[in-house]
Amino acid sequence: MNVGGSRRNVLLGAGVLGAAALGGCTNSRVVGFDKARRSLDICNQGEPLSLDPHKIQGTWENNIVGNMFIGLTTENAKAEPVPGMAESWETSADGLTWIFALRRANWSDGEACDAHDFEFAFRRILNPENGSQYAPLLYPIKNAEAAFTGQMRPETIGVNAIDDRTLEIRLEYATPYLPQLLKHYTTFPVPKHRVTMYGDAWIKPENIAVNGAYILRKWWSNYIVHVERNPAFYDADNVVLEHLYYYPSNDVQATARRVEAREAGWSTRFPSNQVEALRRDLPDFPRVAPYLSCNYLSFNTRRAPFNDVRVRQALSMAYEREFVATQIYRTGELPAYSFLPPGIFNYPGTARYKWADTPIAERRREAERLLRAAGYGPNNPLRFEFSHRSSSDNPRV
């Protein structure tokens, strides 16, 4: 039951288009940016549970992993897909077969990073024994769902290395957004020779090999993740910063204060209710950019009261998305009246709740009628427990 969406990963949200970051990494006055060492201190959202592209689950992990690995495609400054490890690609007339021509590239340890590493990686993440929570994103690939649900072997999926520099991906159905999907960390390659040698320990600093701009140097749990420029990266000449230091920072209020006090050069989040004050006190630091996301309230439909569709619909109708979007988030989020946010590539996004344009007062009258019909009222009030993160804007929502 979709009741809203926003950048901030809450269950009760309202909108999209509000990725908020705070920083001035090109400003030499910022202590968090060391111009001489070309290093940047970053207040990241949280402590990573993993840095394995096949096991991570959160944006705060991808903030790090996305600088360590690169997939077949990557993104430009407008978040559009551009060639990454693949220099070019061709598509069959029916859209079901894609052929990628890979560039010559190496892992950070000097071993070739080629099509066989991609083949290995796709089979690894779709092996149910790996337990990847994001593997279903790859279900457009031929036999991917059957492999991940244990009905077929991972070797049967439609990803094959034709030779060292040619990768074939076969699909279950035409997926015109595949170049966008291939930017996601679930599609990143992993070094077959390292994973085979070290197992899950391959991600430790002393064992890791990466194909991206930065290599992991240190990971002190709940304190710091340090990555350093990878000279073996195919585009290393255009990587400006030598060191990135990520600090787990769940408290957005505290991270904003660190940037204001010049103790950090960048924060991946800031408290949206302070956006006007931050723009006044730190000109050019608060930055808001589009972010494709949709947050929603998740009901357990197997238990009362949410096994009654009238209760679910009443709460969804009564929830004032506009207020949350404009008065709590305040950084461009849009009220969500459909599960898919606007901006999905090649998707018209016309499906909406039929009552989406009904005034909130009228919606709430209908919600009250539905709740009374379900047996709730002054003598039997509706009560339930709602779990949410205590960070960011969640408590205020």
Side-chain angles (χ1 to χ4, degrees):
M1 175 68 72
N2 175 27
V3 298
S6 86
R7 165 64 178 86
R8 294 175 178 76
N9 297 329
V10 294
L11 293 177
L12 200 63
V16 298
L17 304 178
L22 186 67
C25 65
T26 60
N27 187 337
S28 61
R29 295 174 300 165
V30 179
V31 174
F33 172 61
D34 189 324
K35 194 172 183 179
R37 294 189 69 238
R38 290 190 291 174
S39 69
L40 179 65
D41 290 335
I42 302 169
C43 294
N44 203 17
Q45 291 167 248
E47 170 67 14
L49 298 179
S50 175
L51 293 178
D52 185 330
H54 296 168
K55 296 183 182 295
I56 65 175
Q57 304 172 33
T59 55
W60 56 95
E61 294 164 324
N62 183 47
N63 291 339
I64 305 170
V65 170
N67 278 322
M68 293 164 54
F69 298 90
I70 188 168
L72 293 169
T73 63
T74 186
E75 57 194 8
N76 62 16
K78 296 181 180 180
E80 299 165 334
V82 295
M85 285 291 292
E87 290 183 310
S88 62
W89 51 87
E90 298 178 353
T91 312
S92 62
D94 60 6
L96 297 180
T97 302
W98 295 58
I99 303 295
F100 296 86
L102 274 60
R103 67 177 72 247
R104 293 190 184 277
N106 291 327
W107 293 102
S108 54
D109 62 0
E111 290 288 324
C113 178
D114 57 29
H116 300 283
D117 291 300
F118 277 95
E119 179 188 80
F120 173 80
F122 277 96
R123 293 177 180 180
R124 177 176 182 258
I125 193 172
L126 288 167
N127 187 331
E129 295 180 1
N130 195 49
S132 173
Q133 292 196 26
Y134 274 73
L137 287 179
L138 305 179
Y139 281 0
I141 296 174
K142 185 72 174 178
N143 296 334
E145 182 174 7
F148 194 62
T149 55
Q151 301 172 55
M152 300 183 73
R153 293 179 295 105
E155 291 77 13
T156 64
I157 68 170
V159 179
N160 297 285
I162 297 176
D163 56 42
D164 287 351
R165 297 180 59 197
T166 309
L167 186 74
E168 176 190 66
I169 297 182
R170 290 175 289 111
L171 305 174
E172 292 280 0
Y173 45 83
T175 309
Y177 58 87
L178 186 64
Q180 279 81 357
L181 178 61
L182 293 175
K183 297 187 301 178
H184 196 265
Y185 52 77
T186 52
T187 71
F188 288 173
V190 294
K192 179 179 179 180
H193 61 293
R194 293 278 177 161
V195 177
T196 302
M197 181 181 299
Y198 297 108
D200 287 342
W202 76 275
I203 201 66
K204 292 184 177 181
E206 61 268 25
N207 300 333
I208 196 172
V210 302
N211 74 324
Y214 291 89
I215 185 169
L216 181 65
R217 290 305 187 199
K218 183 180 295 183
W219 181 7
W220 288 356
S221 182
N222 289 302
Y223 173 56
I224 192 173
V225 175
H226 171 210
V227 297
E228 185 178 21
R229 179 178 171 274
N230 172 23
F233 177 47
Y234 68 80
D235 199 27
D237 290 343
N238 290 315
V239 178
V240 175
L241 295 172
E242 289 286 344
H243 304 272
L244 303 178
Y245 298 91
Y246 295 88
Y247 298 88
S249 309
N250 290 315
D251 188 337
V252 292
Q253 308 280 346
T255 60
R257 290 193 295 270
R258 287 194 64 187
V259 175
E260 288 184 282
R262 309 301 198 260
E263 295 175 358
W266 191 271
S267 173
T268 58
R269 303 280 287 279
F270 66 79
S272 58
N273 64 316
Q274 297 181 19
V275 62
E276 290 87 359
L278 289 168
R279 283 172 172 160
R280 181 192 66 234
D281 298 338
L282 292 172
D284 300 326
F285 271 59
R287 304 171 189 205
V288 178
Y291 185 93
L292 203 61
S293 176
C294 184
N295 292 344
Y296 55 90
L297 176 63
S298 181
F299 299 118
N300 184 348
T301 60
R302 296 185 178 183
R303 296 180 59 183
F306 301 123
N307 58 350
D308 191 324
V309 66
R310 295 169 296 186
V311 174
R312 303 196 299 269
Q313 183 172 340
L315 289 179
S316 186
M317 293 185 74
Y319 178 59
E320 192 171 0
R321 298 157 176 79
E322 290 78 7
F323 178 85
V324 175
T326 61
Q327 301 301 315
I328 295 183
Y329 289 139
R330 306 175 73 175
T331 48
E333 286 79 1
L334 303 176
Y337 287 100
S338 63
F339 193 79
L340 292 179
I344 298 290
F345 187 71
N346 271 1
Y347 181 77
T350 56
R352 302 176 81 224
Y353 287 136
K354 61 182 180 181
W355 43 263
D357 297 322
T358 304
I360 187 66
E362 186 176 336
R363 282 163 38 192
R364 284 178 170 162
R365 284 194 294 271
E366 175 62 12
E368 182 179 350
R369 186 194 68 79
L370 288 168
L371 287 177
R372 288 185 182 277
Y376 296 97
N379 297 323
N380 183 32
L382 175 66
R383 292 189 176 95
F384 58 91
E385 182 180 275
F386 175 62
S387 299
H388 63 86
R389 289 179 180 171
S390 61
S391 59
S392 190
D393 294 303
N394 303 349
R396 293 191 303 121
V397 169

